[in-house]
Amino acid sequence: MLKKIVIVVVVMIATVLAYAATKPDTFHVQRATRMKAPPEKVFPLINDLHSHVSWSPWEKMDPAMKKTLSGASNGKGAVYEWPGNSPVGTGRIEITDSVPSSKVTMRLDMFTPFEAHNVVEFTLDAAGDSTQVTWAMHGPQPYMMRVLSVFMDCDKMVGQNFETGLANMKALVET
């Protein structure tokens, strides 16, 4: 009987590992919302990392998070580093490109709870008296993350945080 249980467990583990191997080696998470404000009003909230405290969902997950801002005061070269609690982790984000009122690209380096090196992009598209704001993140998905993705939906988890952040940002610019 024990032999049958061991065989079943080994087959189940092998199945999960084989399935994980078929998953893509990159990931992409994206959310968007329309804000009733011009891009010029939205852009500073993204381009100035000091402003992230007013809308970032991670700020509320760890109010005691220690933050260090360095480099440029905003735009390309601005850096935000933090050690936080377990949901927030430890990481660093740097603005690598900034196109006024249009796009901000960042490099996100996470060190805990998982090491990851991703690209974050905010795109602003004017549409009449509104702005379509798109928040996206993409990067490599190493094999161990693909195994975890069998059990956890990264798009759903990260996407919910993006939705919260966009809703917070929308509330700020529409008041």
Side-chain angles (χ1 to χ4, degrees):
M1 179 67 160
L2 180 62
K3 186 176 178 180
K4 287 182 183 180
I5 292 172
V6 170
I7 290 171
V8 168
V9 169
V10 168
V11 167
M12 288 173 56
I13 291 171
T15 301
V16 167
L17 295 176
Y19 177 64
T22 68
K23 291 183 150 283
D25 59 359
T26 61
F27 77 96
H28 183 88
V29 177
Q30 180 174 308
R31 297 294 188 273
T33 194
R34 186 171 300 280
M35 300 181 189
K36 197 160 179 73
E40 296 77 22
K41 188 171 181 182
V42 179
F43 184 76
L45 291 175
I46 301 165
N47 195 52
D48 184 346
L49 298 176
H50 297 89
S51 297
H52 286 216
V53 270
S54 64
W55 59 267
S56 170
W58 291 281
E59 293 286 338
K60 290 168 184 50
M61 286 182 202
D62 185 4
M65 178 172 46
K66 295 179 176 97
K67 304 172 253 315
T68 305
L69 289 110
S70 61
S73 60
N74 62 59
K76 187 174 182 175
V79 175
Y80 181 112
E81 296 176 271
W82 69 94
N85 60 20
S86 60
V88 172
T90 301
R92 179 182 193 276
I93 195 158
E94 178 179 355
I95 297 178
T96 58
D97 193 28
S98 177
V99 180
S101 302
S102 177
K103 187 173 187 176
V104 176
T105 304
M106 303 172 182
R107 183 178 63 238
L108 170 63
D109 296 310
M110 291 298 301
F111 306 112
T112 64
F114 301 104
E115 185 169 346
H117 305 283
N118 303 315
V119 174
V120 175
E121 296 173 318
F122 288 89
T123 307
L124 289 73
D125 294 309
D129 64 346
S130 298
T131 302
Q132 177 79 13
V133 180
T134 303
W135 186 355
M137 180 171 68
H138 58 89
Q141 185 165 253
Y143 181 71
M144 284 311 296
M145 292 307 292
R146 288 185 272 163
V147 171
L148 283 176
S149 76
V150 171
F151 305 101
M152 300 181 333
D153 186 346
C154 179
D155 183 83
K156 183 177 179 183
M157 288 175 23
V158 174
Q160 287 175 338
N161 290 320
F162 284 10
E163 290 165 11
T164 299
L166 288 168
N168 293 343
M169 193 184 305
K170 180 177 180 163
L172 285 172
V173 299
E174 289 184 352
T175 55

